[in-house]
Amino acid sequence: MAISNLQTLPTRTLASHYRETDLRPVLQPVPSRPVQSFQRGQALPLKPDHIWVIQEGVVLLNTLYPSGDEALLGLAGPSASIGLPLTEVEPYQAVAFGQVQAISYSMVEVERSPRLLREVYGSLCRRLQQAETIVALLGQRRVEERLKLFLELLAKEMGQPVEAGTRLNLRLTHQHLANALGTTRVTVTRILNQLRDGGWLSFDQGRHIVISGS
């Protein structure tokens, strides 16, 4: 299934939304806050009355089941707003995927800035699009279809056109993909190898996935 023919995904990508809506100028009327940096694998501290506005990088949003299994809830890129006031999921964790820069604001500050409040609302709408798309693809019975649709979603949001197709700028592990799709790492590895052998995807020298869609 070619990326251009995928009917279940939003016609406008989250990545384009993020580029069009840069929150940094909007934050000027709000009391200044230092930009905080996080390294790959570091959890962003979450407070019940504060949100984070991502400036640079990508954050993985996770939860844990009582069994101890981890589930990937979504990805938050530049200009996205995340935090405990914006979710009902518990437990909820935000982990830096690579170098991340973010600013923390209290909900009182957000509510006092109409422009910031409006842009945070827009960010939440884009996050809702992503969440609904993930829910829709999880309805696919075949794990192979779930994986292909999820990779196409990532390609639409954070992909880069290259000669061989669309390169995923994120290097998600097989376990990350398994957590997102409710399957096992072994299954993901097997299907990725099948898709590679069938020419649907390939790997570049940096081990990034490149989707050809053929």
Side-chain angles (χ1 to χ4, degrees):
M1 181 185 297
I3 293 175
S4 59
N5 293 331
L6 185 60
Q7 299 298 316
T8 59
L9 297 178
T11 55
R12 300 185 67 194
T13 69
L14 293 175
S16 66
H17 279 299
Y18 290 143
R19 288 193 293 269
E20 294 167 9
T21 307
D22 188 348
L23 285 184
R24 283 166 285 193
V26 179
L27 299 178
Q28 297 303 320
V30 183
S32 61
R33 289 287 184 276
V35 177
Q36 300 187 45
S37 297
F38 301 90
Q39 303 300 318
R40 181 187 177 96
Q42 187 176 359
L44 281 66
L46 302 176
K47 300 179 181 179
D49 58 346
H50 281 67
I51 66 169
W52 289 99
V53 176
I54 309 303
Q55 300 292 290
E56 302 291 343
V58 175
V59 174
L60 304 184
L61 305 175
N62 300 318
T63 190
L64 292 175
Y65 295 125
S67 63
D69 294 330
E70 185 177 286
L72 179 65
L73 299 174
L75 305 167
S79 292
S81 304
I82 62 173
L84 295 182
L86 309 179
T87 183
E88 290 292 328
V89 176
E90 186 178 352
Y92 187 80
Q93 188 177 37
V95 180
F97 193 77
Q99 180 75 25
V100 168
Q101 293 186 336
I103 301 177
S104 177
Y105 290 96
S106 72
M107 290 305 296
V108 172
E109 292 170 332
V110 173
E111 292 167 359
R112 288 177 177 174
S113 172
R115 291 184 63 196
L116 178 55
L117 184 61
R118 183 174 63 251
E119 297 302 338
V120 169
Y121 170 78
S123 171
L124 289 177
C125 289
R126 297 189 293 273
R127 288 270 313 284
L128 177 62
Q129 287 181 338
Q130 183 191 75
E132 289 188 339
T133 301
I134 292 175
V135 170
L137 67 87
L138 288 177
Q140 295 285 337
R141 292 186 177 182
R142 297 180 61 216
V143 179
E144 178 179 341
E145 288 304 313
R146 274 186 261 160
L147 180 57
K148 290 171 68 175
L149 289 172
F150 187 65
L151 292 177
E152 288 181 328
L153 171 62
L154 295 179
K156 279 181 168 287
E157 293 186 0
M158 301 173 184
Q160 176 186 6
V162 294
E163 183 177 352
T166 303
R167 174 182 181 269
L168 302 188
N169 291 326
L170 292 176
R171 286 185 58 186
L172 292 173
T173 66
H174 294 189
Q175 189 61 57
H176 282 136
L177 296 172
N179 293 343
L181 301 174
T183 186
T184 66
R185 180 186 58 80
V186 172
T187 299
V188 167
T189 299
R190 175 176 57 80
I191 295 176
L192 285 176
N193 289 335
Q194 291 175 351
L195 294 176
R196 180 197 58 196
D197 295 342
W200 192 86
L201 60 77
S202 60
F203 296 92
D204 66 8
Q205 293 183 345
R207 298 301 297 171
H208 291 87
I209 294 176
V210 178
I211 299 177
S212 65
S214 61

